[in-house]
Amino acid sequence: MRQFRGVSEKEIRQFFHIPPSDFSKNLERKKLGMAMGAALYLPGSMPNFTDKLSKNNLKNLTSAIICLEDAVSDSELLEAELNVVNELKLIEQNDQNSLIDINNIPLLFIRIRTVQHLEKVVTLLGSAIQYITGFVFPKCTSYNAKSFFLCLESINLQYSTHLYGLPILETKEIIYTETREQELSKLYTVFKQFEDLVLTIRVGATDFTSLFSQRRPGNRTIYELLLITNCFTDILNKFNRKEDNFIVSGPVYEYFESLDSFRLFTDVNSIESILWNEVQLDLLNGFYGKTCIHPSQIDIVNSGYIVPKELFEDACLIIENKAETNGVLRSSAKNKMNEVKPHYSWAMKIIAQAEIYGVLKENVTSLDFLQYIKNL
């Protein structure tokens, strides 16, 4: 698996100073959380979804979340469960018969409903469980979080595997100010206890806005909803500290246009432009990756995480000189100061990001690259 694997090696060399590195689900946990990137949601009821994951418009997809919760009505759940199990068993069969290259299948996650549902799905999957990377825990609270992770821990022991949990913070206990701090503190205690099992902490903007009978319009980023932004700030403050090793993933943007009407470069008010702006704000505020609901969002999200050459050189300068000095270093671009002590943790994060998403050539921007691949 590799970011932008649908782009040829020749074209990668055209834009990248250092290309993205290959990775698998065995990558170190924090880097793997960063590598999820644009995580595409697929309803569990979607037929032949594993075949769709190999289509050309999904070549750059590195992670997919198969939803058996909100995306599936209660009356369709049994049928959706059977569909998901059959699809994963088909992957298993094709892999055993060397009919597919498993390295070209995105990291797969299943969004379940409850602890009991998790146990049921795992039993149905049987040996096909080896083809998923983890489970998404919706509406995760201090009441159910420990049960989710204890169950996952037991599953890993039973199947001699290492599946991850991806809790979603999206309930009233977190968005309502009178309970937020206590709830986040309780969740922090649980997540630290099971830190090795937490791949990403995800946030649910849609559920948060619904609690106030709101829905953000397509021409506004989520950061313009102050109720939501204030909550995100508290979540990041709790889980994004340098002494911890959590990755917090950005919220869904629930608008899209068809693949043949890409207008990012021609209309500043287009759906794509708003999404691009939101991705920049995600990255600025400390989110890594984003929940996506349409293939047209994948390249926009992932391109936002490619590292500019100047930032990479600053990060390298700081890390390479840490043993000799903890003072100020002048950047190679001669336009900023690099202070080893306060900037070291930032530099380490940039190096990890560069390994996963690559480093652009000098005077090349992520928008240059995005425009090129959208015109392929």
Side-chain angles (χ1 to χ4, degrees), residues 304-370:
Y305 289 88
I306 309 173
V307 177
K309 189 169 184 282
E310 183 178 323
L311 263 64
F312 179 72
E313 291 176 342
D314 286 334
C316 289
L317 181 69
I318 291 165
I319 291 171
E320 290 167 0
N321 286 276
K322 184 177 185 293
E324 298 179 7
T325 179
N326 57 10
V328 177
L329 301 166
R330 188 174 66 171
S331 69
S332 58
K334 300 180 181 180
N335 61 1
K336 71 178 76 66
M337 68 175 185
N338 291 313
E339 293 188 277
V340 174
K341 283 189 287 187
H343 290 148
Y344 184 77
S345 60
W346 166 85
M348 291 296 290
K349 184 174 67 174
I350 291 296
I351 294 299
Q353 184 178 331
E355 179 183 334
I356 296 161
Y357 292 94
V359 179
L360 292 165
K361 287 184 175 180
E362 194 166 1
N363 299 320
V364 174
T365 70
S366 52
L367 277 175
D368 294 332
F369 177 68
L370 179 58

Side-chain angles (χ1 to χ4, degrees), residues 24-26 88-89 91-96 102 105-110 121-122 124-135 155-156 159-163:
S24 72
K25 67 178 182 178
N26 298 318
L88 287 166
K89 286 187 178 295
I91 291 178
E92 181 179 37
Q93 180 181 343
N94 288 338
D95 183 33
Q96 291 172 347
I102 199 64
I105 300 293
L107 304 175
L108 298 178
F109 303 85
I110 300 177
V121 170
V122 166
L124 291 172
L125 285 172
S127 58
I129 197 173
Q130 64 185 302
Y131 295 94
I132 67 169
T133 303
F135 291 93
I155 290 166
N156 284 336
Y159 288 88
S160 300
T161 187
H162 189 86
L163 300 173

